[in-house]
Amino acid sequence: MRRILINMQNTLFCNAISETLRRSGNELDPYTVDLPDKVVDDCKWIAPYALLMEVTGYTPWKLEERMKLRDTVKALHPDCKIVLIVDENAEKAEARKVKQAKKDDKIKGFIAHNYKDYAEILRKREMQELDPDISETLPPLDSVKLFRNFTLADMKRLSAMIDPVNSEIDYLLPEYIRYW
């Protein structure tokens, strides 16, 4: 089994990705680490095939700090794949930095995700499910891919875990996403 270490600021999204990887059928064994300062220690004993790290505009999840972690992990495990994940809408400045790092050949690739877009796709799907004529023709939620190894079914599970504290706040707005 390939071990995958996941470190994200957004705990719910981290757990959703972990569970998606676990159920992917690709013999992946995901481990989550809650704090960036524990990543290197966990990499020492896990020896991961890949390290997934979210990039945000907040210390210690900024791109510069993630690049330092990448260098340290690569020194320990040169074959470890490093994957950066950034929300292009919530973290516009960091997304630009990540894209520039790709152009400068400092990184090979990245995953851009957008919680609000995913929630809108899910909302539209749920509206379609209310129409009996359309609902019978819809593909299963787990066959609708939002991005690699993350389906609409995963987004629905993630959304079900969110318990809004204030019903008048749209928690999908970028300024609130970091509190999930």
Side-chain angles (χ1 to χ4, degrees):
M1 281 196 128
R2 291 183 172 176
R3 295 180 181 144
I4 312 291
L5 188 66
I6 306 167
N7 177 240
M8 300 180 72
Q9 182 181 15
N10 182 323
T11 305
L12 289 176
F13 197 54
C14 181
N15 291 337
I17 288 175
S18 175
E19 190 59 28
T20 300
L21 292 173
R22 188 178 331 282
R23 291 182 295 108
S24 70
N26 294 322
E27 296 190 18
L28 300 175
D29 190 14
Y31 293 82
T32 60
V33 57
D34 54 349
L35 298 173
D37 60 354
K38 294 180 180 179
V39 168
V40 174
D41 288 337
D42 284 6
C43 281
K44 287 177 185 175
W45 67 270
I46 291 174
Y49 166 78
L51 169 60
L52 278 65
M53 297 187 291
E54 181 179 30
V55 176
T56 72
Y58 303 95
T59 298
W61 294 278
K62 290 185 174 187
L63 178 62
E64 298 79 16
E65 294 155 326
R66 295 310 204 167
M67 297 299 278
K68 289 177 186 174
L69 275 175
R70 176 204 63 178
D71 294 343
T72 305
V73 170
K74 283 291 209 181
L76 292 168
H77 303 287
D79 294 330
C80 181
K81 313 291 185 246
I82 309 295
V83 180
L84 300 177
I85 302 172
V86 63
D87 183 332
E88 333 184 69
N89 286 343
E91 302 293 346
K92 288 180 172 56
E94 289 300 305
R96 280 192 297 275
K97 288 180 188 178
V98 170
K99 289 176 183 176
Q100 188 59 48
K102 168 75 171 116
K103 288 178 185 174
D104 296 342
D105 283 333
K106 293 180 180 176
I107 62 173
K108 292 181 181 176
F110 61 93
I111 297 171
H113 64 85
N114 184 327
Y115 301 105
K116 193 160 186 156
D117 287 349
Y118 301 158
E120 182 61 20
I121 292 168
L122 179 61
R123 186 192 67 76
K124 286 178 182 177
R125 169 59 183 255
E126 289 172 342
M127 293 300 292
Q128 291 174 325
E129 289 173 352
L130 295 175
D131 184 335
D133 296 330
I134 296 174
S135 67
E136 293 176 8
T137 64
L138 295 172
L141 288 176
D142 59 354
S143 70
V144 179
K145 303 278 186 210
L146 295 176
F147 66 89
R148 191 171 178 214
N149 292 325
F150 189 75
T151 66
L152 199 52
D154 297 317
M155 183 63 190
K156 187 170 185 172
R157 277 190 291 280
L158 174 65
S159 297
M161 289 188 231
I162 299 168
D163 187 17
V165 176
N166 182 340
S167 61
E168 296 188 15
I169 293 177
D170 180 0
Y171 286 96
L172 294 173
L173 292 174
E175 59 266 25
Y176 295 108
I177 287 176
R178 66 174 187 242
Y179 296 112
W180 280 14

